[in-house]
Amino acid sequence: GAVVSQHPSRVICKSGTSVKIECRSLDFQATTMFWYRQFPKQSLMLMATSNEGSKATYEQGVEKDKFLINHASLTLSTLTVTSAHPEDSSFYICSASEGGGGEQFFGPGTRLTVL
Amino acid sequence: AQSVAQPEDQVNVAEGNPLTVKCTYSVSGNPYLFWYVQYPNRGLQFLLKYITGDNLVKGSYGFEAEFNKSQTSFHLKKPSALVSDSALYFCAVRDLEDTGRRALTFGSGTRLQVQP
């Protein structure tokens, strides 16, 4: 089956620093990748949709200058949390889809803790 | 707009008993429905999906779900629960007619606790 990886699985950083999270589709080409955020005991909230080679589409309320998304290839999308603050601490999950109507395959998630 | 409701925050069931986790949805067009399971500090694992065809969908680990168009429901079921089924379950929907939005909309999640 389709496999999506995320790296790192867990990261702790100081307030004010930037953190990059990678999402890779290992055995298929992902034309579209999605980034979700999950707070403790809550559901997944979509942050942005990224299409290979074009700018990401951000959901309302998500700061695009703070959460930089790059989808430079068909197998890799990155989310960079810039100038991280403690309130950015969360579980970030990506998913990847082969085509416009394709099923989404989820990565294992990245736990970000900002001190 | 699309939305998903999971009315129960938690479902408790004894091992060996049947379980049901409820989900209702709202879409403008035809729904593409999913169930996922999440274990602590892990990503989502796919259980099953419905797009068209038989209303009863069978998935992984003995789970199944029944699509009911008139009630706009997609409840998750299993005939005999296992302690290892204890986890967080998410229902999700995508409106097939909304070609501008391909992301899934998730319900709030239901924690399933299976007692030995």
Side-chain angles (χ1 to χ4, degrees):
Chain A
V3 179
V4 176
S5 70
Q6 279 185 244
H7 178 78
S9 58
R10 185 181 295 267
V11 57
I12 300 173
C13 69
K14 293 182 179 180
S15 185
T17 61
S18 294
V19 175
K20 180 185 283 189
I21 303 170
E22 293 186 348
C23 177
R24 293 182 184 272
S25 57
L26 299 185
D27 50 4
F28 67 101
Q29 293 187 325
T31 55
T32 306
M33 287 185 170
F34 305 89
W35 286 96
Y36 296 85
R37 182 175 181 176
Q38 185 182 29
F39 290 104
K41 299 185 180 180
Q42 293 189 29
S43 188
L44 281 73
M45 301 300 295
L46 179 68
M47 298 176 66
T49 301
S50 77
N51 295 299
E52 186 266 337
S54 62
K55 290 184 179 180
T57 302
Y58 290 81
E59 294 298 295
Q60 192 172 7
V62 177
E63 300 176 58
K64 60 181 180 181
D65 293 331
K66 181 170 182 62
F67 298 99
L68 301 178
I69 291 172
N70 184 283
H71 192 163
S73 78
L74 285 171
T75 59
L76 173 64
S77 176
T78 60
L79 167 67
T80 302
V81 183
T82 62
S83 187
H85 290 134
E87 57 265 31
D88 297 326
S89 298
S90 190
F91 195 51
Y92 292 86
I93 302 176
C94 75
S95 70
S97 172
E98 277 187 277
E103 182 178 331
Q104 289 184 39
F105 302 96
F106 285 81
T110 297
R111 170 78 56 196
L112 170 64
T113 303
V114 184
L115 302 176
Chain B
Q2 52 200 26
S3 65
V4 178
Q6 291 181 244
E8 303 152 317
D9 289 337
Q10 181 155 327
V11 169
N12 297 309
V13 64
E15 186 174 32
N17 283 0
L19 69 88
T20 298
V21 182
K22 295 180 180 178
C23 170
T24 58
Y25 66 89
S26 175
V27 295
S28 300
N30 292 313
Y32 193 4
L33 292 155
F34 298 83
W35 275 102
Y36 290 90
V37 59
Q38 185 181 35
Y39 294 96
N41 294 310
R42 301 289 296 276
L44 272 64
Q45 294 180 32
F46 170 79
L47 282 179
L48 50 79
K49 67 179 177 182
Y50 171 85
I51 183 169
T52 188
D54 289 341
N55 289 342
L56 185 63
V57 180
K58 294 190 183 295
S60 306
Y61 314 119
F63 284 93
E64 57 189 29
E66 185 165 13
F67 171 65
N68 188 318
K69 188 172 183 178
S70 63
Q71 296 184 4
T72 61
S73 67
F74 191 57
H75 301 329
L76 181 69
K77 300 181 180 184
K78 187 172 182 180
S80 179
L82 300 173
V83 173
S84 56
D85 292 331
S86 299
L88 189 57
Y89 290 80
F90 288 101
C91 182
V93 71
R94 191 186 138 208
D95 187 342
L96 288 170
E97 312 303 321
D98 187 354
T99 55
R101 182 177 177 85
R102 289 168 287 170
L104 297 178
T105 297
F106 285 85
S108 54
T110 299
R111 185 162 301 282
L112 173 66
Q113 194 69 42
V114 181
Q115 282 105 20

